[in-house]
Amino acid sequence: MSRGEWKPRRANGSVLEAFRHGRYNVRDQLGHYVKPESQADHPCHHHCCQGKRPHPKNLPVKLNRQYLRSLSGPELEEELGQYTSFIDTHEGGFLQIIAEIDRRDESEKRAAARKTRARERRQHRESEWSDEVYRQWLLAEGETNGYMLNRAGKAADIDERTLFTGPESRVAKYASQELLDFFDTHPRPTRAAFLGSAYERRAHLAGRRVGASRTG
């Protein structure tokens, strides 16, 4: 054979060679070429599969994690139902879905636990606040000899306990001078001071009145 003359290539038995000759003309779910089209859902005989797993249409062997996390609850249950039917051949995908369901369950449990702890802390602070209001009221009653309301407060039949938690303007309007002197050295246990912002709580502990300054 002269130089440059065409020479037929010997078949090497590769998938690519078989594809070129038309023996493999359909891709399975892993992207492998199979023959003929009727074999698309049958076990793949390529090296990676070794004939042990079929690839049903639109049922990947492995699912994308972002895709799984984007599914709603009902959609995830629907995916699980499909993979349950092929658990022997698509165990990887099935376990991925189970893992995602478990992850969501654990996340919901942690969120519920955080809410429960937050609610318990809030209730504890509420109880502490109520106790402190009562303690301060008893202390003020002793130091003021019971004179906690001024003339306007008595005329309006004000509950003196409301002066311990209400707005500063209410204190200025209805508190006696004895009670005003008491509050100068004993910060009022207002709700904001116990349950408000960090600044408000620090102000209470530092002995400063929270809010507008008392006048008169």
Side-chain angles (χ1 to χ4, degrees):
M1 181 180 297
S2 61
R3 183 180 178 84
E5 183 177 353
W6 178 82
K7 181 179 180 180
R9 183 173 56 182
R10 177 180 299 177
N12 57 19
S14 69
V15 174
L16 181 59
E17 184 272 335
F19 170 67
R20 286 176 178 149
H21 286 77
R23 294 198 301 241
Y24 290 79
N25 54 10
V26 177
R27 284 183 181 273
D28 65 14
Q29 292 296 308
L30 285 184
H32 300 153
Y33 282 103
V34 296
K35 67 162 190 172
E37 185 174 358
S38 61
Q39 297 299 311
D41 294 336
H42 287 68
C44 171
H45 289 280
H46 290 78
H47 179 70
C48 63
C49 300
Q50 299 179 352
K52 295 181 180 180
R53 54 183 185 182
H55 304 132
K57 291 180 179 179
N58 301 320
L59 198 68
V61 173
K62 185 176 181 180
L63 290 161
N64 181 274
R65 186 175 66 173
Q66 292 302 116
Y67 166 73
L68 277 176
R69 294 197 172 187
S70 71
L71 297 177
S72 65
E75 290 172 338
L76 194 62
E77 291 292 339
E78 184 178 352
E79 287 281 359
L80 178 62
Q82 294 184 49
Y83 276 82
T84 300
S85 302
F86 297 93
I87 190 172
D88 292 335
T89 57
H90 285 62
E91 183 179 9
F94 174 80
L95 293 178
Q96 278 185 284
I97 298 173
I98 293 297
E100 175 61 16
I101 292 175
D102 289 343
R103 185 191 69 81
R104 295 187 185 189
D105 288 343
E106 286 300 318
S107 179
E108 290 177 359
K109 289 179 182 178
R110 288 194 296 269
R114 285 194 296 269
K115 289 181 179 178
T116 299
R117 289 194 297 270
R119 184 169 57 251
E120 290 174 348
R121 285 195 297 269
R122 183 76 178 183
Q123 291 172 345
H124 180 67
R125 294 294 292 170
E126 290 273 3
S127 178
E128 286 185 334
W129 174 67
S130 297
D131 291 343
E132 179 63 11
V133 170
Y134 182 66
R135 187 189 72 81
Q136 288 274 40
W137 176 75
L138 287 178
L139 183 62
E141 188 176 46
E143 293 199 14
T144 64
N145 293 317
Y147 294 103
M148 290 189 250
L149 297 175
N150 60 18
R151 186 176 301 174
K154 293 177 181 178
D157 196 24
I158 297 299
D159 182 352
E160 58 197 29
R161 296 195 191 193
T162 62
L163 301 181
F164 287 79
T165 61
E168 196 81 23
S169 59
R170 185 178 178 83
V171 177
K173 185 175 181 180
Y174 297 120
S176 66
Q177 186 60 49
E178 290 84 353
L179 185 58
L180 292 175
D181 293 339
F182 175 82
F183 285 147
D184 281 339
T185 56
H186 300 80
R188 294 188 310 127
T190 62
R191 190 179 186 85
F194 263 73
L195 307 172
S197 67
Y199 166 75
E200 291 168 329
R201 294 194 300 273
R202 288 195 300 269
H204 173 73
L205 293 175
R208 299 193 302 271
R209 292 189 301 277
V210 178
S213 298
R214 175 171 60 85
T215 59

